[in-house]
Amino acid sequence: MSRIPTLADLGDVRGKRVLVRTDFNVPMENGEITDDFRIRAALPTINWLTERGAQVVTCSHLGRPKGQPNPKYSMDPVRARLGELAPGVELLENLRFDPGEEGNDPAFVAKLIEGIDMYVDDAFGACHRAHASIVGPPLTLPSAMGLLLQKEVEVLLGLRNDPKHPFVAVLGGSKISDKLGVVEALLRVVDSLVVGGAMCFTFLAALGNPIGDSLFEPDQVDTCKRLLEQSKASGKTIHLPEDIVGVDAQGNFATFGTRLPEGAKGFDIGPGTAAAFSDVIMDARTVFWNGPMGMFEDPRFEAGTRTVAQAMADTKAFTVVGGGDSAAALAQFRLDDEVSHVSTGGGASLELLELGDLPGLDALRKAPNA
Ligand code: ADP
Ligand code: MG
């Protein structure tokens, strides 16, 4: 596996037209950008290139226009904001206005790189997709990963390949089936797994606990049994909740043990569990967190997620958060600056942890300058 070229591997960029694949998939409301974080996040790479005399042409997708031009997903507002932050930098129209982007059509790649000398990928969140703008340009152009992508790769492959122990993975969110691959990959490298969120009910059910009407996946019970047995055999701990917060059959807020009464629904880990999970996080040297501990969007059920987020902020461990909703929770509690790294790619970060590679990284590794 050859290395992935970095910006320095582009050589002299002076006078070169460099296509930068960015992630400008910004949140919009009524045609206005509500948060320009992703545009600002691209500036280090853009400035690195322009300061060295390159002419930068950026490109991105925005929303899901499904291969057709649609004014609702026009790049105009992004282009205006980019013009303020990085004058003179160009931005192509929404890549997904053309079906060739998602279809990885060579003719679309050819159109994209017309008049372009070099390619930089700084769109981590799109690297798990073999789309034209991700895997096409490195086939022929000298290419590199941008600074954002480089950081993601270093952090996430570092977790996979060389974590400081104890290494703890904290998992939550809605479905174990969505995350089974990454759970199995993590179990190979972590010392312990902490499980909250809706997925904990499938584990609790696998241990024979009644879980009331909580969200769970009956077809994953056997998988959870196997994971529990496997981890036991390999000397790893899977920490499960010891108390649960939710509503009883009448819909009233209630705290339960691990055996839920009929008709009850669990929506968060309980206070005892949150404290126990925090202790595990405080004692770790590396922590990866994906998936909220409960339905944190409802203030009645945010406490578990908030306590875990606070432990992530307080621990001396190297802390990494991946996943759209986990990152949103962290931002809601204003703790996003208190962890070591918040990954910008939801699906991409889990896939990189699971497989150790992504289509976009593989393409860069095969670039002519690599
Ligand atoms: P991420 O985006 O961080 O990977 P997921 O998408 O897997 O996380 O899951 C996030 C969702 O899981 C949130 O919307 C949250 O409300 C939901 N969730 C977590 N715990 C529960 C629960 N006990 N019952 C129902 N929904 C839950
Ligand atoms: Mg999500």
Side-chain angles (χ1 to χ4, degrees), residues 121 198 215 262 292 301 310 313 343:
D121 184 353
L215 215 64
E262 219 168 290
F301 306 118
Q310 191 62 53
S343 177

Side-chain angles (χ1 to χ4, degrees), residues 173-174 179 197-198 201 215 266-267 290-295 297 323-326:
S174 36
K179 296 179 179 173
F201 296 109
L215 215 64
F267 287 124
N290 168 270
M293 294 293 100
M295 215 172 69
E297 298 90 341
D325 293 289
S326 323

